Amino acid sequence: MDELRASDPSWIGGHRLFGRLGAGGMGVVYLGRDTQGALAAVKVILPEHAGDADFRLRFRREAGAARRVTSPWAVQVTGSGTEEERPWLATEFVPGPALSETVTRCGPLPARSVRVLGRLLARALASVHAAGLVHRDVKPGNVLLAADGPRLIDFGVARVTDATALTAADLVVGTPGFLAPEQAARGASAVGPAGDVFSLGCLLAYAATGRPPFGSGAVDALLYRTVHSEPDLDGIDDPELRSLLAGLLAKDPAARPTAAALDGVITEDAPDGSVDWLPEDVVRLIAERSAEILALPGIDATRVDTPDTPAPSRRGLILLAGAGAVAVAGGGVLAVREWPRGDATGASGASGPGTWTIGVQADLSGPRAAIGRAQERGVRLAVDRFNARTDKPFTLRVEAADDRGRTAEGKRAAERFVRDRDVLAVVGPTDDPVTTAVLSTYDEALLPIVTVSSQQIAFAVRSMRSFFQAVPSDVALVHPIRDRLVLRPDVQRLGVLVDRAGGQSAYLAGYYLNQTIADTTDGTTYPRVVPAGTRDLAPVVDDMLTHRSDAFFHAGDQAGAARAARALAATSYQGPRMAMHTAIGDRFLKDAGAAAEGWEFVAPWIGATAPAAKEFAAAHRAKYGTAPAPWTAEAYDAAGLVLAALTPLSRKNRPPARSALVAKISSSTYRGISRTYAFTDGYRLKNFDGHLHGVRDGAFRYLGAAPMETG
């Protein structure tokens, strides 16, 4: 929620307003509270529409119809002022995350969860249609998950089915990627209840896979695929769910079931408002949102009585979690087990007075051992430099734990570091799955953990109070990629080739690059997605060039990037070409051969030849006999970040509290070799700094800091 602006009202329609929930082309949505204390989402129409008689007529008609929607799974209208100078409409406020945020943070939902979600939303749509409305914008952002189930929200573009259209007949209303093929082809004139059912199918496919079923990118290409292509349902193995989606996503509107009929088609249900149909991490996310809203000004905490039953339900746990958050927000005492006593069997043993430990948790012998060993070396160099100071307030040692890139061993390593009272912070782990597995362990002990190579956009854990993601995610790196490839006079359309062999990171990088270019530039994209294992990319590359792509980006692995390079080299194309940093490696050079020349990459790590790394690289050669590998300088920076925060907190022979170190790191700005480190409230980097690398004369070369024109 954003703060109110100076031009915003503080009251409207008997609602005290707290802040902005969002804004669109029709109006602004505020969070408010009525005189009885109930929270509401209050949509206030913009002045330019308020003076339009036709708009007022439609708004009045549709507000009246929305009041007739009575489903418990559709947000309820609680008030309206259609005749006022600034027309407004209030609905119940749902303190839960949107489905879009939930899938981004927690990953796709299990098949059963998707079926339950489908049945409840179908009931909401059946009520909408029975009221004579068509929603027209059923998408993940318009579904909120609450403690007692989902809510379909935002009737801002809803239309009364028997009303005369007050918009152009060929206007596409809704969200490309989640609208029906008949609407994509014929515009608003084709809107009907069957279109909402198709949109529900797109939404459920997204919930099950984490991606829109017709891809992403340029709107024209997306609409074309919606009309002519089959949906991408790869990864959905449940036959019942696949059959359901096939019916919902039928191209012919007459072949789709009605929303009301779906209640008999889907057998899964969530009795009594239970949330047991959702995964545990999603339930925790809902609890966090419920807790946050209770801390708003002027909202009294709800009294939570001790339940008679010995084991509260998961829904009860959500309410208890919310009440606990209010106590913290209101200044209550928070008891944290800072230094576990007793039989501490940590690796460092009983260190001498004033000697403390920085842990390194890394893959030192598994599939990413090269990265893990590079990071261990970086931390050791930072500690060596600190210990060489004559004025050092304490002495440091490094303890490395090899998790071999396995979650089970990662958890054991984390537990070992947490038990050791001399470990003040940990650098690592090396990769996303292990990081996800250990975060709750470090979080419970408030032991600071700084990762420099886990680039996942979000981690599905309850909270991350001590976790610092000191590396831009692959999604964040699309900003310098955009600036390098598109913000130049010779490029109008970027061809984006997403190879599913690159996994989720490649798909997300391609998806967000398309979205970012559409949202922030006047350029366009032409996206193509190929299945994992596609060997011949020549037809795909030819198609992208036929559609006037004058720059080229590959999202995938080394092997796929090499195939794309060879296919591109076989054409007359001479424009800029780039791949994800995951393609940097010996295999790309070997497989691509001469076709590798000229390719560029935006990576999160700095090159050893960078001027900023000169002194560090010399120290690395002196100690290890080689130039530093990728990720070494970043680990060196991570240790330096910890040391800079630790030094002012130190007391002779007495380590600082881990929680104090977390707070100090979170509020610090530290200038390292690779970048300047400063963190958001969510302990992610504030900036998107990347480094440009390229193939020159048959080898990878460091080309300098990646361009960063805009945010």
Side-chain angles (χ1 to χ4, degrees):
M1 181 177 69
D2 296 328
E3 293 183 359
L4 292 174
R5 300 177 183 176
S7 59
D8 288 329
S10 57
W11 288 81
I12 195 160
H15 295 81
R16 176 191 174 190
L17 305 184
F18 295 120
R20 284 176 164 234
L21 294 173
M26 298 297 178
V28 180
V29 183
Y30 301 98
L31 176 62
R33 187 182 67 168
D34 66 19
T35 54
Q36 282 72 47
L39 292 175
V42 185
K43 184 168 188 175
V44 181
I45 301 304
L46 294 175
E48 54 265 36
H49 297 300
D52 185 322
D54 285 341
F55 183 90
R56 275 186 174 272
L57 173 63
R58 185 178 66 184
F59 182 72
R60 187 184 310 120
R61 180 190 297 154
E62 293 174 2
R67 283 181 173 276
R68 300 197 299 268
V69 178
T70 58
S71 170
W73 315 120
V75 69
Q76 301 296 297
V77 174
T78 58
S80 63
T82 58
E83 305 303 325
E84 296 187 16
E85 181 180 357
R86 292 286 303 275
W88 58 272
L89 181 72
T91 62
E92 64 173 322
F93 177 74
V94 181
L99 178 63
S100 52
E101 180 193 359
T102 301
V103 172
T104 298
R105 290 189 58 178
C106 304
L109 300 179
R112 177 177 178 262
S113 298
V114 176
R115 290 196 297 270
V116 173
L117 179 67
R119 188 171 196 181
L120 300 183
L121 293 180
R123 290 172 177 171
L125 280 177
S127 182
V128 170
H129 297 163
L133 282 172
V134 181
H135 189 284
R136 300 203 296 179
D137 201 19
V138 178
K139 62 182 180 180
N142 279 341
V143 171
L144 300 179
L145 299 179
D148 56 352
R151 296 290 193 284
L152 181 64
I153 67 167
D154 195 359
F155 296 91
V157 296
R159 176 180 153 196
V160 179
T161 53
D162 60 355
T164 302
L166 299 176
T167 55
D170 59 350
L171 177 66
V172 175
V173 179
T175 302
F178 294 93
L179 50 78
E182 62 269 21
Q183 187 178 346
R186 302 195 301 277
S189 61
V191 168
D196 282 347
V197 172
F198 187 93
S199 298
L200 176 63
C202 293
L203 178 148
L204 297 179
Y206 169 85
T209 65
R211 60 183 186 273
F214 296 99
S216 60
V219 171
D220 54 351
L222 185 52
L223 296 179
Y224 180 88
R225 290 194 298 272
T226 301
V227 175
H228 299 286
S229 301
E230 292 302 312
D232 174 15
L233 302 179
D234 287 351
I236 301 178
D237 299 323
D238 184 87
E240 184 178 347
L241 181 56
R242 286 190 72 97
S243 175
L244 171 66
L245 294 177
L248 298 178
L249 297 174
K251 301 295 186 188
D252 181 3
R256 300 170 204 149
T258 65
L262 286 172
D263 204 50
V265 173
I266 306 174
T267 58
E268 299 284 356
D269 204 353
D272 303 323
S274 166
V275 290
D276 288 337
W277 55 280
L278 287 170
E280 189 67 34
D281 51 352
V282 176
V283 174
R284 288 171 176 164
L285 180 59
I286 295 171
E288 290 176 11
R289 288 291 184 275
S290 300
E292 289 168 4
I293 206 62
L294 290 176
L296 286 171
I299 299 176
D300 297 327
T302 301
R303 182 183 302 275
V304 179
D305 296 322
T306 303
D308 295 331
T309 54
S313 67
R314 293 172 72 191
R315 184 181 179 191
L317 289 173
I318 288 178
L319 299 176
L320 289 169
V326 174
V328 175
V333 177
L334 177 63
V336 178
R337 185 166 52 100
E338 289 289 353
W339 301 107
R341 301 295 179 180
D343 183 19
T345 57
S348 68
S351 300
T355 300
W356 302 316
T357 302
I358 289 184
V360 177
Q361 180 177 340
D363 178 356
L364 301 176
S365 60
R368 303 190 78 192
I371 296 175
R373 289 194 295 269
Q375 292 179 5
E376 181 189 1
R377 288 181 171 186
V379 174
R380 291 191 182 279
L381 277 173
V383 170
D384 285 351
R385 181 175 182 176
F386 179 84
N387 286 339
R389 289 171 45 181
T390 57
D391 62 340
K392 61 181 180 293
F394 50 86
T395 301
L396 278 174
R397 65 191 299 268
V398 177
E399 182 68 32
D402 180 10
D403 59 33
R404 298 199 287 178
R406 300 176 181 176
T407 57
E409 294 186 41
K411 290 178 181 178
R412 286 194 288 271
E415 290 165 358
R416 189 176 104 193
F417 279 143
V418 164
R419 288 195 303 267
D420 187 344
R421 67 179 187 174
D422 289 332
V423 176
L424 301 186
V426 175
V427 176
T430 309
D431 55 12
D432 295 332
V434 176
T435 299
T436 301
V438 303
L439 282 183
S440 59
T441 301
Y442 287 116
D443 183 70
E444 182 181 350
L446 273 182
L447 176 58
I449 173 175
V450 185
T451 183
V452 297
S453 58
S454 293
Q455 293 182 264
Q456 191 167 301
I457 187 174
F459 293 86
V461 294
R462 179 179 57 83
S463 64
M464 297 180 286
R465 298 173 299 169
S466 63
F467 172 60
F468 297 89
Q469 191 175 17
V471 59
S473 70
D474 284 322
V475 168
L477 288 178
V478 306
H479 294 272
I481 291 170
R482 170 205 61 189
D483 294 349
R484 178 67 173 176
L485 288 178
V486 178
L487 299 187
R488 47 195 295 169
D490 58 332
V491 172
Q492 290 297 317
R493 172 167 290 188
L494 174 64
V496 180
L497 177 55
V498 178
D499 188 337
R500 290 204 182 275
Q504 186 74 353
S505 63
Y507 178 82
L508 288 174
Y511 177 85
Y512 280 98
L513 182 58
N514 275 292
Q515 187 178 52
T516 299
I517 290 172
D519 291 344
T520 63
T521 77
D522 58 2
T524 61
T525 60
Y526 183 72
R528 287 292 305 268
V529 180
V530 298
T534 302
R535 307 292 300 178
D536 184 9
L537 293 180
V540 179
V541 169
D542 288 342
D543 175 64
M544 298 174 78
L545 298 181
T546 299
H547 284 81
R548 304 186 307 281
S549 298
D550 42 23
F552 190 91
F553 178 76
H554 179 274
D557 59 7
Q558 291 188 53
R563 287 193 288 270
R566 293 197 306 270
L568 205 58
T571 71
S572 59
Y573 177 80
Q574 296 296 319
R577 65 210 70 189
M578 183 178 284
M580 285 182 68
H581 66 87
T582 49
I584 298 178
D586 293 339
R587 181 171 183 180
F588 175 76
L589 293 178
K590 178 182 177 182
D591 290 357
E597 193 67 24
W599 277 73
E600 294 181 349
F601 316 82
V602 171
W605 66 79
I606 197 169
T609 60
K614 182 177 180 180
E615 181 182 347
F616 162 74
H620 190 280
R621 288 189 184 93
K623 183 175 179 71
Y624 296 108
T626 63
W631 303 109
T632 311
E634 288 67 37
Y636 179 91
D637 282 350
L641 168 71
V642 171
L643 290 171
L646 180 60
T647 300
L649 298 175
S650 64
R651 299 291 184 270
K652 187 176 181 180
N653 297 338
R654 183 178 173 187
R658 290 170 170 175
S659 58
L661 184 54
V662 168
K664 188 66 175 177
I665 295 173
S666 68
S667 62
S668 298
T669 297
Y670 177 76
R671 185 166 185 175
I673 295 170
S674 187
R675 59 181 51 84
T676 296
Y677 296 83
F679 298 94
T680 66
D681 291 341
Y683 297 175
R684 291 181 172 82
L685 285 178
K686 288 183 177 179
N687 52 47
F688 306 142
D689 295 346
H691 297 278
L692 190 64
H693 303 255
V695 179
R696 302 292 187 267
D697 300 322
F700 292 107
R701 312 286 184 188
Y702 179 67
L703 305 181
M708 198 64 192
E709 298 291 337
T710 57

